[in-house]
Amino acid sequence: MSILHIHKLFVASPEGWNEFARIQPSAIKLFVLLVVPFSLIPPLMLEYAGQHLGAAMFPDTAGQAWSIAALFFLIAELITVPLMAWAIKSVANSKGIDSNYHDAFTLAAVAAVPLWLSSLVLFSDQIALIIAMVVLGLAGSVVLIFRGVGSILKVEEGLVAFDIAYTVTALGLVVWVMLVMLGLVPALA
């Protein structure tokens, strides 16, 4: 499955998820070919926005502070995906679902794609547009989590799937807020 076909994962039809499950890329391959390249987008956009929008809104913040924040943001992202996979596996196991780390990692990696792509809006200097696209990225991630719990983790019971997805989404939002705060450290300092 190509990343260009990720839109198939959002629709009610299981076609996209079935194709993704059929391929079953290894966690290492997913990390190298999906997580690392897409994780580069937000720090690069943070760097760009810090030098342009950040310089206008926070003139007392040094340009180097944005670069350091972008580097720490990248490191945090690369650590967060495997940790979220562990959390997904733990939540699923606590609900009686026999899941493995590979499936949990797949869900964590795929669910983060809309968040990574939403950072492209930082090319804009329109705050309302930035907020709208970030919310859209969050919504996309939530949809992928809810659809992926059933498809990737193979949870057939609807209420259990909802419970797992809800818990994972809540945890993911907490982690996402911490990442955003990390990216905003230069502005807050």
Side-chain angles (χ1 to χ4, degrees):
M1 169 177 239
S2 167
I3 195 63
L4 298 175
H5 298 130
I6 198 164
H7 68 278
K8 291 180 181 178
L9 302 178
F10 287 97
V11 296
S13 151
E15 173 190 340
W17 290 106
N18 290 342
E19 183 180 342
F20 199 76
R22 182 182 53 79
I23 295 170
Q24 287 199 344
S26 69
I28 298 291
K29 187 174 183 179
L30 269 175
F31 191 79
V32 170
L33 297 178
L34 179 70
V35 174
V36 172
F38 276 83
S39 289
L40 290 172
I41 297 171
L44 292 173
M45 293 310 304
L46 180 61
E47 173 72 21
Y48 174 84
Q51 302 303 327
H52 294 86
L53 184 60
M57 292 182 70
F58 308 103
D60 295 336
T61 302
Q64 185 178 10
W66 293 105
S67 300
I68 293 169
L71 175 63
F72 282 121
F73 193 90
L74 174 63
I75 293 167
E77 280 183 302
L78 295 175
I79 292 169
T80 299
V81 175
L83 286 177
M84 280 302 297
W86 172 80
I88 290 168
K89 181 184 180 313
S90 296
V91 169
N93 289 343
S94 75
K95 304 297 180 190
I97 303 300
D98 186 31
S99 64
N100 59 47
Y101 185 79
H102 175 267
D103 292 341
F105 188 87
T106 301
L107 180 57
V110 169
V113 170
L115 296 172
W116 290 322
L117 291 177
S118 71
S119 69
L120 289 170
V121 75
L122 292 176
F123 274 127
S124 172
D125 62 351
Q126 302 296 319
I127 300 299
L129 179 63
I130 292 170
I131 292 170
M133 292 307 292
V134 167
V135 169
L136 189 62
L138 278 169
S141 182
V142 168
V143 167
L144 289 176
I145 290 169
F146 274 79
R147 296 211 186 279
V149 164
S151 299
I152 293 176
L153 299 182
K154 298 165 187 70
V155 178
E156 295 176 5
E157 174 64 40
L159 192 55
V160 174
F162 180 81
D163 191 21
I164 293 170
Y166 181 80
T167 305
V168 168
T169 299
L171 181 59
L173 288 175
V174 169
V175 170
W176 179 82
V177 166
M178 291 189 315
L179 283 171
V180 169
M181 296 279 74
L182 181 62
L184 292 176
V185 163
L188 301 174

